[in-house]
Amino acid sequence: MITVPLSPAARADALQALRGAELDVLVIGGGVVGAGAALDAVTRGLAVGLVEARDWASGTSSRSSKLIHGGLRYLEMLDFELVREALHERALLATTLAPHLVRPVQFLYPLTHRGWERPYVGAGVLLYDTMGTALGAARGLPRHRHLTRKRALREAPCLKPDSLTGAIAYWDAQVDDARHTMTVVRTAASYGAHVANQAQAVGFLREGERVTGAEIVDLVTGERFAVRARQVINATGVWTDETQRMAETRGQFHVRASKGVHLVVPRDRLQSSTGIILRTEKSVLFVIPWGRHWIIGTTDTDWNLDLAHPAASAADIDYLLEQVNSVLASPLSRADVQGVYAGLRPLLSGESESTSKLSREHVVGHPVPGLVVVAGGKYTTYRVMARDVVDEAARGLDARVPESISDRVLLAGADGYPALRNQRAALAARAGLHVARIDHLLGRYGSLVDEVLDVVVANPALAEPLPGCDDYLQAEVVYAVTHEGARHVDDVLARRTRASIEAWDRGVAAAPVVARLMAPLLGWDDAQTRQASEFYLARVAAELESQQQPDDVSANAARTWT
């Protein structure tokens, strides 16, 4: 496979191709499941299109806990099949499909009761490890360890000594979700899928009862056109019900949105060499190492407001601080919070009033001929969801369709990654960068790092970091536009980089520089460049205002600024 760029020209070519001959499969929704479905379908030899109304991973798929995990708490719910499936996917991603993007992370589970708790939790973690080993899913991950209180406090000095009687340490994995989703899209495009963001499906084409394609609006030009397809896949996550209504059908199931809020705090604020997982009254709370930061989350509450811009309220932030401070020797305050983000989980609707009890399993349905719907699930098992929905779509195609091979399709940047890791000193010398910088770039681009370094070599001024965002080079902004489909300042600062949650100013100082770098690549004039920057600043101001509001309704009103 030759990895193709998601450039402005490539987008234009994809839109032109979508107007042409009938596709086998049109996928609506550019989150991780839709991206995975496009990759699965195109690598079976099908003619595939993928459209996304906003940016790749602009919804749920950029706002997760950023974990690739079996889901230890699902063992307690006796959901063994979900855990088994997720552990298998964890192994595939970490060792084969995306080792450059998925990496191991250790967690400490503090024990708070003497006697019964250690054997109870220990048995669960032992089963977790054993299931992983039996599936070949524990390769590269150490097995769990039982720790005394003294040893646990050595690994996590930030904990109150009286908050635990001991601990169990175990391993899972983590990922930059937005970068991973975009990489799945780029891999699908490299195998021949026609992919376009900023392309919104606004209606379905019909021949009698049968769906035969979709009406698409190019949100850049305003042009409206028809895309014909033998099967259409609805992979729109929390928008599933809205998309189904375009087919004038009730649908076979419904999706309910659950809001999950995460805080980002500086790494030096918590003295720990390991992540931490805490049991709460409602669910669990993670403290996750994330580069120079910690991610603390999450909440799990019903959300019936704006799906495009879920808002974190002051109550959400206070709840998370209260929960984590219950075990910290030096409590966190609002002043320590460097970033906040809120996402929506698409849960299958059930009878329970508590979203934490709704299903994380996925379902596939065929509500009307020509339309297939996938919903539910969790980030870790996106590939399984994609395989299952393409299997269902394939049953509606006349010709025999090959079985899925997505468990053997390496994502862009994976091939050759281990060798380049060993050559990072030479890469650093070539680009005039520090080896630590190359390490960071390899963890974001894998074997595609040479393409980023080519930008630096061609213009050494672009080796400078973005203002207020030392982890990201100006060259990465250029590359985000020319190779990764970025079309807005928000695309770069919120998803191609994570400056919007990592920088103290949420990327405000970087925004004008980002806009200036993007302008010649997207044909912006001075007014458009200024507007692009101001649009991002307004987004940040609205988010900050929403986080001062006492409840969801007022936070939503403050956040919904466009």
Side-chain angles (χ1 to χ4, degrees), residues 431-433 437 455-457 459-466 472-475:
L433 298 172
R437 178 73 72 181
V455 177
V456 173
V457 171
N459 184 355
L462 297 178
E464 290 297 314
L466 289 172
Y472 303 108
L473 302 180
Q474 294 184 27

Side-chain angles (χ1 to χ4, degrees), residues 191-251:
Y191 280 103
H194 306 300
V195 307
N197 55 0
Q198 292 286 293
Q200 182 176 8
V202 295
F204 288 120
L205 307 179
R206 304 292 287 265
E207 292 182 4
E209 287 296 307
R210 185 175 188 83
V211 170
T212 58
E215 286 282 343
I216 305 297
V217 174
D218 179 352
L219 297 180
V220 176
T221 65
E223 181 186 0
R224 183 172 180 141
F225 58 93
V227 177
R228 302 201 170 273
R230 297 162 70 194
Q231 292 287 310
V232 176
I233 291 175
N234 172 7
T236 53
V238 294
W239 287 273
T240 296
D241 291 5
E242 284 77 357
T243 309
Q244 284 190 143
R245 279 196 285 271
M246 293 194 314
E248 299 175 355
T249 176
R250 280 175 56 92

Side-chain angles (χ1 to χ4, degrees), residues 43 75 79 97 136-137 147 162 198 210 252 313 370 402 407 419 431 434 462 467 478 550:
T43 53
L75 278 183
D79 199 341
L97 304 183
L147 305 179
D162 62 358
Q198 292 286 293
R210 185 175 188 83
Q252 297 167 315
S313 68
D407 59 342
H434 194 280
L462 297 178
V478 172

Side-chain angles (χ1 to χ4, degrees), residues 446-511:
S447 57
L448 299 178
V449 69
D450 278 328
E451 295 180 348
V452 182
L453 297 181
D454 286 345
V455 177
V456 173
V457 171
N459 184 355
L462 297 178
E464 290 297 314
L466 289 172
C469 310
D470 288 348
D471 284 342
Y472 303 108
L473 302 180
Q474 294 184 27
E476 295 181 78
V477 177
V478 172
Y479 188 81
V481 176
T482 59
H483 287 72
E484 297 180 340
R487 299 196 61 85
H488 299 96
V489 172
D490 183 55
D491 299 346
V492 173
L493 291 176
R495 286 172 292 278
R496 303 308 183 277
T497 72
R498 307 320 291 266
S500 67
I501 60 172
E502 294 173 354
W504 272 111
D505 66 352
R506 313 283 176 102
V508 166

Side-chain angles (χ1 to χ4, degrees), residues 135-269:
L135 293 164
R139 287 174 292 169
L141 296 182
R143 292 183 65 81
H144 74 281
R145 296 176 295 133
H146 283 262
L147 305 179
T148 64
R149 178 166 64 179
K150 183 177 180 181
R151 179 61 185 271
L153 290 170
R154 276 208 302 267
E155 297 203 12
C158 61
L159 296 175
K160 293 177 184 175
D162 62 358
S163 70
L164 70 164
T165 61
I168 296 176
Y170 75 98
W171 290 78
D172 256 318
Q174 67 179 167
V175 68
D176 183 333
D177 48 7
R179 174 151 293 280
H180 169 259
T181 298
M182 180 277 300
T183 303
V184 177
V185 173
R186 192 173 174 190
T187 307
S190 298
Y191 280 103
H194 306 300
V195 307
N197 55 0
Q198 292 286 293
Q200 182 176 8
V202 295
F204 288 120
L205 307 179
R206 304 292 287 265
E207 292 182 4
E209 287 296 307
R210 185 175 188 83
V211 170
T212 58
E215 286 282 343
I216 305 297
V217 174
D218 179 352
L219 297 180
V220 176
T221 65
E223 181 186 0
R224 183 172 180 141
F225 58 93
V227 177
R228 302 201 170 273
R230 297 162 70 194
Q231 292 287 310
V232 176
I233 291 175
N234 172 7
T236 53
V238 294
W239 287 273
T240 296
D241 291 5
E242 284 77 357
T243 309
Q244 284 190 143
R245 279 196 285 271
M246 293 194 314
E248 299 175 355
T249 176
R250 280 175 56 92
Q252 297 167 315
F253 44 80
H254 297 282
V255 169
R256 185 168 162 187
S258 166
K259 184 176 69 167
V261 174
H262 295 79
L263 311 181
V264 181
V265 302
R267 189 66 176 265
D268 61 7
R269 190 58 187 82

Side-chain angles (χ1 to χ4, degrees), residues 109-131:
Y109 187 113
L111 303 171
T112 58
H113 299 88
R114 297 189 184 277
W116 66 269
E117 190 178 21
R118 185 180 289 276
Y120 176 73
V121 176
V125 178
L126 175 62
L127 179 58
Y128 195 66
D129 276 355
T130 301
M131 290 175 71

